[in-house]
């Protein structure tokens, strides 16, 4: 088996708050995609979520979300693919982190997504989660949009950073 290679496609660190972040015109030359995010939103709770949208739609998204925090564990299923992140009610200046792995993003089959995510907080409200997702669509993924979900209008805050890598076999 060939050794996989990780190639940086695009990266950005926000210089101002933003209501969403989009990677567009994703090259179709890799096998898989890996998205790394370090983010925080201006929502007032300790943590919240951002949704993942492929090619301008969330239609066909499903997830199984497993989480643990200082106060317990749980799971839920949903019709979005989402990751958690730190927000305004969490310890000051802390950012949540996640890795989103998208397998066979150019194939003519449904796309599987796995997420390993944590939001930081110096309290029991901190959370770590694993998410298994499926985008039931046969189109190649050409764009990925991330949008905070919290109650009201929420923004990714300044210094949130986004990195997109292509994974290829050599």
């Amino acid at each position: 088996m060939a050794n996989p290679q990780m190639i940086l496609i695009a990266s950005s660190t926000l210089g101002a708050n933003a209501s969403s972040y989009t990677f567009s015109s994703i090259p179709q030359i890799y096998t898989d995609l890996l998205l790394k995010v370090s983010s925080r939103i201006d929502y007032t709770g300790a943590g919240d979520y951002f949704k993942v949208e492929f090619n301008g739609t969330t239609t066909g998204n499903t997830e199984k979300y497993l989480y643990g925090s200082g106060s317990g564990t749980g799971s839920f299923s949903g019709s979005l693919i989402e990751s958690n992140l730190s927000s305004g009610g969490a310890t000051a200046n802390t950012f949540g982190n996640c890795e989103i792995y998208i397998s066979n993003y150019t194939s003519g089959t449904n796309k599987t997504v796995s997420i390993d995510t944590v939001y930081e907080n110096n309290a029991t409200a901190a959370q770590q989660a694993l998410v298994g997702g499926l985008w039931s669509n046969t189109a190649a993924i050409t764009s990925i949009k991330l949008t905070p979900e919290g109650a009201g209008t929420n923004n990714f805050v300044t210094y949130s950073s986004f990195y997109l890598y292509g994974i290829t076999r050599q």
Side-chain angles (χ1 to χ4, degrees):
M1 183 171 153
N3 292 327
Q5 299 292 311
M6 228 170 71
I7 294 107
L8 181 64
I9 296 171
S11 66
S12 181
T13 299
L14 297 180
N17 289 3
S19 61
S20 66
Y21 187 81
T22 301
F23 289 102
S24 57
S25 303
I26 297 172
Q28 302 294 292
I29 58 174
Y30 304 104
T31 305
D32 303 330
L33 295 174
L34 175 63
L35 178 58
K36 294 181 177 247
V37 178
S38 176
S39 63
R40 181 178 175 101
I41 62 170
D42 56 6
Y43 171 67
T44 58
D48 215 317
Y49 304 92
F50 66 84
K51 66 182 175 184
V52 180
E53 183 178 299
F54 300 117
N55 297 356
T57 184
T58 57
T59 301
N61 285 352
T62 57
E63 71 177 354
K64 183 66 171 181
Y65 195 101
L66 307 170
Y67 65 89
S69 69
S71 59
T73 61
S75 68
F76 60 86
S77 298
S79 59
L80 294 173
I81 297 173
E82 55 195 349
S83 178
N84 62 21
L85 70 165
S86 298
S87 57
T91 305
N93 302 315
T94 60
F95 285 65
N97 297 285
C98 77
E99 287 191 350
I100 302 170
Y101 197 92
I102 305 159
S103 299
N104 299 311
Y105 75 105
T106 62
S107 73
T109 61
N110 295 336
K111 315 304 183 279
T112 59
V113 180
S114 61
I115 302 175
D116 184 356
T117 181
V118 62
Y119 75 75
E120 304 289 341
N121 190 19
N122 191 15
T124 57
Q127 186 181 98
Q128 182 174 2
L130 297 173
V131 182
L134 179 68
W135 187 47
S136 297
N137 195 307
T138 59
I141 294 173
T142 58
S143 70
I144 302 170
K145 182 178 181 181
L146 309 174
T147 307
E149 287 188 280
T153 303
N154 296 300
N155 297 292
F156 289 113
V157 300
T158 303
Y159 304 120
S160 291
S161 58
F162 308 89
Y163 297 85
L164 180 64
Y165 295 89
I167 309 295
T168 187
R169 301 202 190 343
Q170 210 175 22

